[in-house]
Amino acid sequence: MNLLLYGAPGSGKGTQANMLRSHFGIPHIATGDMLRAEIAAGTPLGRQAQPILAAGKYVSDDIMIEVVRGRLGRPDCEPGFIMDGFPRTVPQAVALDGLMADLGKRFDRVIYLEVPVDELLHRLSGRLVCPQCQRTYPPQTSACEADGSELAQREDDKPEAVRPRIEIYLEKTVPVLDHYRGGGLVSEIDGRGTIEDISRQVLAAANGKVRA
Ligand code: AP5
Ligand code: MG
């Protein structure tokens, strides 16, 4: 099963992707997590990406398309995957169509988590993240459930980066949804409510494979 999670920063893509990964046993491909791993490892890509992420801007389409091309070609994607954070621009969406066609794959469902901007701002300002495995948690969580690590604030959740992230999403990423709407693959889910409640709806959308 190939799933695409779409939504604004803080809409719950990472949270729901973790659930889907456990449920279906397929990899979670999160371009933001991949970039943060490059930054932590101090690679040339990481050094280039670090100030861009910290400012809440987007890494260039060319770089991101190559990152995703390399990842999708790996054998663990064969049974399916959950894509999170890509495509974020219309050129990325067009490139992903080509990559998927080359690999003989198609998306079964695009799941859109819709959350209003005031709620996004609230969630991002309090979010905690595991520096080891990148799982995200609500405020006041004491340690990572998966590996017990102490949680931290993500650099781009500082107030000066949160607004630019929402603004660039509205400008560059909102048009990506129209790219998929035509295919009848989009399930729109109200992303407000408990995490468990949203998970039930996300699973129903993934399993139903009904055309919206
Ligand atoms: P990325 O890591 O993808 O960040 P993002 O899109 O900004 O999304 P987030 O990870 O912030 O939010 P999320 O939707 O995963 O929410 P979460 O589940 O954590 O990208 C980071 C950066 O990398 C980009 O800004 C860009 O610079 C670069 N980048 C990445 N991909 C790129 C690309 N393709 N092109 C160019 N640049 C790229 O949840 C948020 C919080 O809410 C958590 O605390 C969570 O516990 C809580 N929460 C979740 N669900 C609920 C709920 N139902 N109710 C209450 N709280 C909830
Ligand atoms: Mg995320």
Side-chain angles (χ1 to χ4, degrees):
M1 165 151 352
N2 303 319
L3 298 171
L4 178 56
L5 285 179
Y6 173 91
S11 58
K13 303 182 296 294
T15 302
Q16 297 303 329
N18 272 325
M19 177 279 295
L20 290 165
R21 170 171 58 183
S22 309
H23 187 87
F24 291 112
I26 52 177
H28 170 203
I29 301 179
T31 45
D33 291 356
M34 291 166 79
L35 290 169
R36 283 184 290 276
E38 297 279 343
I39 293 170
T43 64
L45 171 57
R47 286 198 296 277
Q48 196 180 343
Q50 190 277 334
I52 301 174
L53 268 73
K57 296 180 178 158
Y58 284 175
V59 174
S60 79
D61 289 339
D62 290 352
I63 291 176
M64 294 314 302
I65 290 162
E66 284 317 304
V67 165
V68 169
R69 186 196 305 278
R71 184 65 188 87
L72 278 186
R74 287 191 8 209
D76 65 332
C77 293
E78 218 32 68
F81 57 87
I82 305 144
M83 185 74 89
D84 159 7
F86 186 96
R88 262 176 147 91
T89 65
V90 171
Q92 288 181 16
V94 171
L96 183 57
D97 288 346
L99 289 181
M100 295 287 281
D102 290 349
L103 293 163
K105 295 178 191 292
R106 52 181 282 280
F107 281 108
D108 295 291
R109 191 119 297 266
V110 176
I111 298 173
Y112 170 29
L113 299 171
E114 198 181 1
V115 176
V117 169
D118 56 346
E119 170 77 9
L120 297 172
L121 294 171
H122 173 70
R123 285 186 191 181
L124 291 174
S125 64
R127 168 168 65 179
L128 293 168
V129 59
C130 173
Q132 301 305 321
C133 71
Q134 312 236 14
R135 281 184 175 79
T136 56
Y137 295 95
Q140 270 108 43
T141 311
S142 53
C144 176
E145 283 168 13
D147 55 36
S149 299
E150 193 177 328
L151 303 177
Q153 187 180 40
R154 225 168 78 176
E155 197 181 3
D156 60 350
D157 283 347
K158 300 201 166 117
E160 60 274 21
V162 166
R163 284 256 171 213
R165 285 166 63 203
I166 306 269
E167 275 159 21
I168 198 169
Y169 165 81
L170 294 172
E171 184 196 336
K172 305 255 191 202
T173 309
V174 166
V176 170
L177 197 56
D178 284 335
H179 182 84
Y180 290 103
R181 279 201 203 280
L185 286 177
V186 179
S187 288
E188 226 166 288
I189 291 174
D190 183 344
R192 294 167 298 180
T194 65
I195 291 174
E196 294 72 25
D197 195 36
I198 311 297
S199 292
R200 272 190 292 276
Q201 296 179 61
V202 166
L203 268 183
N207 281 323
K209 293 192 190 176
V210 281
R211 299 219 158 241

